[in-house]
Amino acid sequence: MRSFCALLLVFLLLSFTFAQQKLPTESAMNRFLRYVKIDTQSAEDQPASPSTKKQLDLARLLETELKGLGVQDVRISEVGIVYGMVPGNLADNSKVPTIGFIAHMDTSPAVSGENVNAIIHNNYQGGDIVLPNDKTQVITVALNPDLKNLIGDDIITADGTTLLGSDDKSGIAEIMTMIDILKQNPGIKHGNIAIAFTPDEEVGGPMDQFEIEKWGAKFAYTVDGEHLGDISNETWSARTAFVTFRGRSTHPGTAKGIMINSTYAAGDFLARFPEMVPNRPETTAGREGYIHAATATMSEETSTIRILLRNFDINGLAAQEEAVKKVMAETQKKYPNVKIEYKSELGYLNMKEVLKNYPQLTDFAIEASKRAGVTGALRPIRGGTDGARLTTRGLPTPNLFTGGHNFHGKLEFNSRKGLEKSTETLVHLVQIWAEKGGK
Ligand SMILES: [Zn+2]
């Protein structure tokens, strides 16, 4: 009888534990599948913000859904940023800092995001995944060793003709589902939570117009990373260089002795890269920076090459600028009649310079991952984030994982577990801030 009572007690305790957390009204997966259907591809070099109007389709949907979840102060700003505030449920919310969560709405200009046909590979059993509408697009185990951890999971891919948009609709779905879980479970204690969904992250969007003060967060996280557990307090610093070659154009029929064709000089300059610039995207990984001749416009009169400089060491950018100028000097010797000009602009600085003063941001995130059953670890990002620019502006903002893989391409994927574990981590994170983040 006594052992029966003990069993009953265990049973009651267990059912109490399981009953403790109510499910969200909608899974992160379902939300994700709805958001990826909306084409939000951004475009480079547009004067307006957002760079493409279609991003507002998602902004308006999110505005409605946030209001439906009871989020307060929901609005879309002039530049297309969706803001909102989830009020804390502590006896005194002013005792813990307001924490912000940010995800971006746009998808990369590199690959189409129109008519995304998300495919769910239920109960994945291993092996390469061939995308059905373009069989040359294959997610291989060789290049994606993470697949081995996803046996039994439901993997989500595009159909081979578009990107998926996991970057960053995963982040949006996870933040929305976190809000949903908090609403269903008032027993989960948290301080004020500021929410923002941004347009144009992929094209260096409107972070200068992000209303930091009005938004109210003291610290924030972008939810825009990849592998489960990857937490980043470090990006490289970014500068963009423009090398312009000025020749002389004239009608080709009467050009003898007059025309100076700038395209040859631009071509010569580029041809020197493999030898003179050893650190390029295709030759570097980890903490190595690179110099990347990315795009060019060419005509007889004027040719301009846009070059991306990336370096984890802030002082390294200056050395990279010198390296570009050395290549210019060689081309100048060969083409003395072409005028070669150099200019550059700063993109963002390595956020580690600021974040090293706030170790609790990543410590709490690692603890939250652990509570969600994920091994969290710090990993530098070989890319920029909205957080890097906000951190540069004074709002410390590291980056959290979303479970996604292969961003900006047709082989992009995420999984049910990826979305759920990331969501769970966010729910734990706001609790940890309430527990330990007091002033
Ligand atoms: Zn992203």
Side-chain angles (χ1 to χ4, degrees):
M1 190 63 191
R2 186 182 287 174
S3 64
F4 174 77
C5 285
L7 266 177
L8 188 69
L9 188 67
V10 168
F11 174 76
L12 284 173
L13 272 173
L14 274 177
S15 35
F16 177 71
T17 311
F18 284 122
Q20 212 174 21
Q21 186 156 319
K22 275 201 207 138
L23 294 174
T25 57
E26 190 180 19
S27 67
M29 175 95 145
N30 277 0
R31 287 193 163 93
F32 177 71
L33 294 174
R34 178 165 65 251
Y35 303 151
V36 297
K37 283 203 191 97
I38 301 168
D39 178 10
T40 55
Q41 188 179 33
S42 51
E44 299 274 7
D45 301 323
Q46 300 299 311
S49 179
S51 65
T52 52
K53 284 271 175 255
K54 55 193 176 185
Q55 293 179 64
L56 292 173
D57 296 342
L58 179 57
R60 282 186 284 260
L61 174 73
L62 293 170
E63 180 188 30
T64 307
E65 292 190 5
L66 283 167
K67 285 179 179 165
L69 287 169
V71 176
Q72 296 183 359
D73 305 329
V74 179
R75 65 195 172 95
I76 303 177
S77 80
E78 237 167 61
V79 292
I81 300 172
V82 183
Y83 294 100
M85 175 65 76
V86 181
N89 56 10
L90 304 173
D92 183 355
N93 290 316
S94 69
K95 286 252 160 40
V96 302
T98 298
I99 301 301
F101 290 96
I102 302 167
H104 66 89
M105 298 183 285
D106 64 318
T107 61
S108 168
V111 177
S112 169
E114 197 178 355
N115 295 323
V116 169
N117 174 22
I119 300 195
I120 303 168
H121 307 260
N122 281 313
N123 192 14
Y124 169 69
Q125 287 301 307
D128 295 350
I129 301 174
V130 181
L131 301 184
N133 289 2
D134 178 355
K135 300 229 164 19
T136 66
Q137 299 292 335
V138 183
I139 303 173
T140 62
V141 178
L143 289 179
N144 298 274
D146 248 23
L147 282 174
K148 289 178 193 143
N149 304 322
L150 299 180
I151 307 289
D153 200 347
D154 301 331
I155 295 180
I156 317 157
T157 68
D159 66 9
T161 62
T162 64
L163 49 65
L164 175 63
S166 175
D167 176 17
D168 187 23
K169 286 156 183 169
S170 289
I172 299 177
E174 289 156 7
I175 292 170
M176 294 297 283
T177 310
M178 168 194 73
I179 300 169
D180 190 355
I181 291 172
L182 295 179
K183 182 169 191 246
Q184 305 312 318
N185 296 279
I188 298 177
K189 293 296 169 199
H190 61 86
N192 293 331
I193 302 168
I195 305 293
F197 299 125
T198 56
D200 289 337
E201 192 269 350
E202 304 290 3
V203 293
M207 280 302 105
D208 295 342
Q209 285 110 298
F210 193 99
E211 298 162 51
I212 294 179
E213 297 242 315
K214 195 170 169 189
W215 192 45
K218 187 165 180 215
F219 304 110
Y221 296 89
T222 49
V223 186
D224 189 19
E226 303 194 34
H227 306 242
L228 277 184
D230 283 5
I231 294 164
S232 301
N233 61 355
E234 188 172 5
T235 55
W236 48 32
S237 298
R239 188 172 268 285
T240 307
F242 300 88
V243 179
T244 299
F245 304 83
R246 296 195 192 281
R248 187 191 301 139
S249 178
T250 183
H251 190 285
T254 54
K256 189 171 180 183
I258 302 170
M259 182 187 281
I260 301 170
N261 192 337
S262 80
T263 66
Y264 302 146
D268 175 81
F269 173 82
L270 285 174
R272 293 175 191 276
F273 262 58
E275 203 168 312
M276 292 188 71
V277 181
N279 281 13
R280 305 186 306 278
E282 63 272 30
T283 64
T284 51
R287 258 171 218 282
E288 298 168 304
Y290 64 56
I291 299 176
H292 175 39
T295 57
T297 53
M298 301 260 214
S299 72
E300 301 95 320
E301 177 95 10
T302 309
S303 299
T304 299
I305 298 171
R306 181 172 145 265
I307 301 163
L308 310 182
L309 311 179
R310 301 291 185 260
N311 210 304
F312 283 94
D313 175 3
I314 275 175
N315 302 318
L317 285 175
Q320 289 179 319
E321 295 198 84
E322 287 313 307
V324 171
K325 286 177 186 168
K326 266 195 189 138
V327 186
M328 282 168 57
E330 290 303 309
T331 298
Q332 188 68 80
K333 270 189 231 161
K334 193 165 170 190
Y335 293 90
N337 294 330
V338 174
K339 193 171 173 225
I340 310 181
E341 295 164 1
Y342 177 91
K343 69 168 186 176
S344 74
E345 53 194 40
L346 182 69
Y348 49 86
L349 293 174
N350 186 343
M351 57 188 180
K352 179 88 177 269
E353 293 301 312
V354 175
L355 292 181
K356 65 184 179 197
N357 301 319
Y358 305 97
Q360 71 273 35
L361 270 76
T362 45
D363 289 350
F364 290 178
I366 289 171
E367 168 73 21
S369 326
K370 200 168 146 195
R371 290 188 192 181
V374 173
T375 309
L378 294 179
R379 190 190 295 268
I381 316 176
R382 292 175 62 78
T385 62
D386 279 345
R389 297 180 63 204
L390 289 174
T391 303
T392 305
R393 280 189 57 198
L395 176 63
T397 309
N399 188 42
L400 304 177
F401 53 89
T402 62
H405 298 76
N406 298 339
F407 286 4
H408 299 192
K410 294 177 181 173
L411 302 180
E412 209 184 356
F413 67 95
N414 202 336
S415 70
R416 183 185 297 277
K417 187 179 144 206
L419 292 164
E420 287 177 355
K421 285 289 162 193
S422 303
T423 304
E424 225 180 288
T425 300
L426 300 183
V427 174
H428 284 298
L429 184 52
V430 295
Q431 291 176 88
I432 292 169
W433 272 101
E435 290 165 22
K436 303 184 183 181
K439 285 171 196 162

